[in-house]
Amino acid sequence: MTKANSSAAHHPADRLSGIALSEIVQISERARQMRAEGRDVIALSTGEPDFPTPPEVIEAAHQAALAGQTRYTPTAGTPELRAEVARQAGAEPANVIISTGAKQVLANAMLATLNPGDEVIMPAPFWTSYADMVRMAGGTPVVLPCPLSQGFKLTPEQLSDAITPQTRWLMLNSPSNPSGAIYSAAEYAQLADILAAHPHVWVVADEIYEHLSYTPFTSFTEAAPHLRDRTLIVNGVSKAWSMTGWRIGWGIGPAELIRDTISVQGQTTSGAPSVSQAAALAALQSDRQLLEDRRATFLARRDATIDGLNAIPGLACPAPDGAFYAFPDCSALIEGRFDNDAALCQWLLEETGVALVPGRAFGMPGHVRLSFAYAESQIREALTRMKTAIDRLTSTPAPAFAGHTG
C-alpha cells in the first residue's frame, strides 16, 4: 500500500461492534487446522448429522435440474413448497416464507421488526447466533439465565418480570440447542398466560429440532392457539433430513409479518435455491419412517454419551429430551484449574484432540456442549480420551493448574 492510500483505513459499521465469528466456528476451524497438521481430532463441536441426505431427495433434486428448474424462484419460495409447508402446518401459503436456511428466517424477522431500543427476551442457554442477530438488527438482547436447576427452561415469573414496554419478541427454542430441553404443552400454556396480558410481545418459536424429540413434542401454537396471530414458527429440513448444505428453512406466521420478511429477503438473497426447494419438497412428502429410524439411532447415541460423561470426574449431565447435544455442567472441573469453560475446551482440544464448545457461547458459562450427531464409535473414543486426560488432571493437586488458559 502506498503512503497516499494508507489513510484509507477500513472502518466497520457500528452494528458489527462486538460481533465476530461464533466460538463454534472458531473451534471448528482450529480442529480443521489441527487435522491438516496431522493431528487425530474428533470434532464434536458442530450440529450436523452424519447421515447422508436421503437418496430419493437427491434424486428429486436431480430430476428438477434436468427439467430446467434452475432459474430464479419467487422471493417467498416456490408455490409448491410453500403450499406443502402450509398444508402440514394447517396454515395458508400466504403465512409461509421459504428462506436460505432457518437462520435466514430468524435474521429476516429481526431486521423486519426491530428498531433501536427494542428488546428481545432470550432464555439462556440459547443458540449462539440469536444475540448477534438481534444486535445487528438494532435491538437489545435481554438474557434470562435458566440454569439446570429449572431444566434450562424459562419460568412464567422470569418472563413476567422481564417484559417492559420496549419488549418486542420472546425467543424460544424447543427442542433446545444446546441443552436439548423441551417445553411441555403445560409449560408453554403458562408462558402464554403471561403473554396474553402483553399484546405488544410477539413470539419466535424455533422448532428446527422438532423431529429429534425423545419425549413428546408440542409446537408453541398447538399449546397457545390464541397467540397464533403473533407467533413466528421457524423450521426446516437441515437437521431431521440431514440437509444442512441444501440451505432450506421456513417461517410460518401472520401474513403481514411474512410480507415484511419477504421484503427483507428480496433485498438480500432473493429466493432460496430452486433445486434445493425441489429437494425440500421431496423430503416433506417422503416416508417418515426414515425419521423414526434415525431418531432411534440418535437416542442410542444420547444414552451412550450421557453414561460416558457422567463417568468423568467433575462433569454432571442430565439426559436431554431432544436435539443431539449434551450440555454437561463442568463447573466442578473448572474450579481451581481453569480460568473458565473456554480454557477447559481449549485444553481438551490440545490435550486430547476432542473439540467441544464452551457454554459461555450459549450464554451459560460453566458448561460445555458436545454433539452426538456422530457415529457411536467416534463418541465413545472421544469420551475415553476425555476421561483419561481428566482422570490424570484431577489426580494432580488443583492449584498446579490454576489459571490455565490452554
Side-chain angles (χ1 to χ4, degrees):
M1 181 181 292
T2 66
K3 185 174 182 179
N5 291 331
S6 63
S7 62
H10 169 66
H11 296 287
D14 291 344
R15 71 177 62 88
L16 293 183
S17 177
I19 295 174
L21 281 177
S22 75
E23 288 197 81
I24 298 174
V25 175
Q26 293 178 46
I27 291 165
S28 298
E29 290 185 351
R30 173 58 183 152
R32 279 194 291 270
Q33 179 186 352
M34 290 173 65
R35 284 196 184 106
E37 295 168 354
R39 295 280 302 275
D40 181 13
V41 175
I42 302 176
L44 304 182
S45 50
T46 54
E48 186 166 42
D50 64 335
F51 294 114
T53 299
E56 63 270 28
V57 172
I58 295 175
E59 180 60 24
H62 183 206
Q63 293 302 319
L66 291 175
Q69 294 181 35
T70 57
R71 299 183 179 276
Y72 292 134
T73 69
T75 302
T78 62
E80 297 82 7
L81 183 54
R82 289 182 84 192
E84 184 63 20
V85 170
R87 184 187 71 79
Q88 295 194 15
E92 298 296 327
N95 300 118
V96 174
I97 181 173
I98 308 298
S99 297
T100 309
K103 192 171 190 176
Q104 188 183 17
V105 178
L106 291 160
N108 285 345
M110 297 302 102
L111 288 168
T113 61
L114 293 180
N115 291 310
D118 286 344
E119 297 173 350
V120 178
I121 295 173
M122 297 189 312
F126 51 79
W127 181 47
T128 56
S129 290
Y130 287 167
D132 284 344
M133 287 179 183
V134 169
R135 293 189 188 99
M136 288 184 68
T140 301
V142 177
V143 177
L144 303 183
C146 301
L148 174 59
S149 60
Q150 58 193 62
F152 298 119
K153 289 183 277 190
L154 181 69
T155 67
E157 294 76 18
Q158 282 181 301
L159 176 59
S160 179
D161 290 345
I163 292 174
T164 73
Q166 288 73 47
T167 305
R168 186 69 178 85
W169 289 98
L170 165 64
M171 272 193 169
L172 296 172
N173 179 204
S174 177
S176 162
N177 175 6
S179 72
I182 292 180
Y183 286 88
S184 68
E187 289 166 335
Y188 267 158
Q190 290 177 333
L191 297 178
D193 286 344
I194 301 299
L195 293 166
H198 301 279
H200 66 291
V201 181
W202 286 44
V203 178
V204 171
D206 183 349
E207 300 178 353
I208 191 68
Y209 295 98
E210 171 189 357
H211 298 294
L212 293 169
S213 302
Y214 316 117
T215 61
F217 169 82
T218 302
S219 176
F220 182 80
T221 50
E222 292 173 344
H226 56 296
L227 298 183
R228 186 182 293 269
D229 63 350
R230 49 186 167 115
T231 299
L232 176 67
I233 299 291
V234 180
N235 214 319
V237 293
S238 293
K239 308 299 183 178
W241 283 274
S242 300
M243 295 176 65
T244 52
W246 296 81
R247 308 310 304 134
I248 296 294
W250 54 79
I252 307 168
E256 62 272 20
L257 171 64
I258 296 302
R259 282 197 300 270
D260 290 341
T261 61
I262 292 170
S263 295
V264 173
Q265 187 159 296
Q267 301 305 325
T268 52
T269 60
S270 295
S274 55
V275 171
S276 293
Q277 291 190 67
L281 178 62
L284 288 178
Q285 294 176 338
S286 64
D287 184 353
R288 296 299 174 93
Q289 186 58 45
L290 173 78
L291 302 188
E292 285 302 307
D293 294 343
R294 291 184 174 184
R295 188 187 65 82
T297 299
F298 282 125
L299 180 58
R301 293 175 179 179
R302 180 201 74 167
D303 292 345
T305 301
I306 299 307
D307 288 346
L309 286 171
N310 286 324
I312 297 175
L315 298 184
C317 190
D321 289 332
F324 39 60
Y325 307 104
F327 198 57
D329 184 330
C330 60
S331 54
L333 179 58
I334 292 171
E335 186 175 0
R337 297 183 178 92
F338 299 94
D339 286 346
N340 50 43
D341 48 14
L344 169 61
C345 287
Q346 185 178 352
W347 177 81
L348 282 169
L349 180 57
E350 302 295 338
E351 186 78 9
T352 71
V354 176
L356 311 179
V357 185
R360 73 177 188 183
F362 308 96
M364 184 63 65
H367 292 256
V368 294
R369 190 198 77 171
L370 64 155
S371 169
F372 50 85
Y374 301 94
E376 193 168 326
S377 59
Q378 278 191 296
I379 294 169
R380 291 187 183 278
E381 171 62 20
L383 291 169
T384 297
R385 292 186 193 182
M386 289 170 59
K387 187 174 190 310
T388 299
I390 291 173
D391 279 344
R392 189 166 60 246
L393 174 70
T394 54
S395 66
T396 304
F401 294 88
H404 180 74
T405 58

